[in-house]
Amino acid sequence: MISFRFWPVAAISAASLIGLAACGPASDPYEPPSPVQESELTEAAIAVDADRPAPPEAVAELEAANDHDEGHAGEAHEHGGGELAITREDDFLTVSLDAPLANFGLSETKVPEGPKAEKYAEGIVEPIGPTVCEETERSITGRTDGTHGAMTVSVVWRCKKIDRVEGMLVHVFERFPAFEHIDAIYLGPEGQQVAKELTPSDTEIDFD
């Protein structure tokens, strides 16, 4: 707060400035800016607005929209869609299916746990070819942020003559009708890759 005892000094300074202004030369007559100057001023104003940070409300709305589309931790979250990866190592085929919990008919706020969760891996795929394959392992891992949840279902097969496995038949659409499409990929032992989008009417991925 300004103290009253400084007012005389301020008044004297103001009076001095007024006197100097009165003694100075007259101001130049007003000239409107040229079109080039107006363009430069407009561009400068746009640049300033672009550098100006967005108001907190706009940032919050943008983040909310991204959260709705991506789910948790910034990952894609599309109901009806899923990702299937098949890898081969020695005599083993490992199949991993990752998808939203809703695709399995589950609440997205709670991940299934324990032996009951393994039922979601039962019969989801079937190796194709003139050989014998035996399922040796199942595992379920899930994650949720309270509003969006997903889980990865993994199955391991051991095949006697794995070179005779020609592909994989996917039964996911039959078991869980909420699936609409699955992005599948096969990764072979020598770096070969086969990618395909599976649908309820096209459920087989060939390894060749």
Side-chain angles (χ1 to χ4, degrees):
M1 188 172 104
I2 300 176
S3 173
F4 286 102
R5 63 174 176 272
F6 293 114
W7 282 14
V9 177
I12 295 172
S13 300
S16 300
L17 291 174
I18 293 172
L20 290 173
C23 295
S27 301
D28 294 335
Y30 170 76
E31 293 184 3
S34 66
V36 175
Q37 290 176 326
E38 289 183 351
S39 176
E40 291 176 352
L41 291 173
T42 302
E43 292 178 358
I46 293 174
V48 170
D49 288 340
D51 293 336
R52 185 175 299 155
E57 296 82 1
V59 174
E61 291 177 1
L62 180 60
E63 291 178 348
N66 290 338
D67 289 343
H68 177 74
D69 292 336
E70 295 187 352
H72 65 285
E75 70 172 270
H77 190 86
E78 178 190 0
H79 289 186
E83 296 180 351
L84 182 76
I86 306 168
T87 58
R88 172 184 162 182
E89 184 176 358
D90 298 329
D91 295 334
F92 295 93
L93 287 171
T94 301
V95 181
S96 296
L97 172 65
D98 187 84
L101 292 173
N103 287 16
F104 298 92
L106 298 171
S107 167
E108 297 219 351
T109 61
K110 186 177 181 181
V111 177
E113 299 177 354
K116 292 183 179 180
E118 294 184 7
K119 70 178 182 179
Y120 294 97
E122 182 178 353
I124 62 171
V125 294
E126 177 187 351
I128 303 171
T131 186
V132 177
C133 296
E134 179 184 1
E135 183 182 324
T136 62
E137 183 181 344
R138 297 177 184 175
S139 64
I140 304 292
T141 57
R143 56 211 183 274
T144 180
D145 65 358
T147 57
H148 293 288
M151 71 178 179
T152 302
V153 180
S154 298
V155 182
V156 180
W157 295 78
R158 185 172 186 176
C159 302
K160 289 184 177 181
K161 297 181 180 180
I162 197 166
D163 290 333
R164 294 187 178 182
V165 178
E166 301 170 352
M168 194 73 70
L169 185 60
V170 178
H171 299 296
V172 175
F173 300 102
E174 301 170 20
R175 294 214 57 223
F176 307 106
F179 277 88
E180 299 173 0
H181 64 90
I182 296 174
D183 294 326
I185 185 170
Y186 166 69
L187 305 175
E190 298 178 0
Q192 63 267 46
Q193 297 184 13
V194 178
K196 181 179 181 180
E197 183 181 43
L198 304 177
T199 63
S201 60
D202 187 1
T203 61
E204 182 179 326
I205 177 170
D206 296 328
F207 294 168
D208 297 328

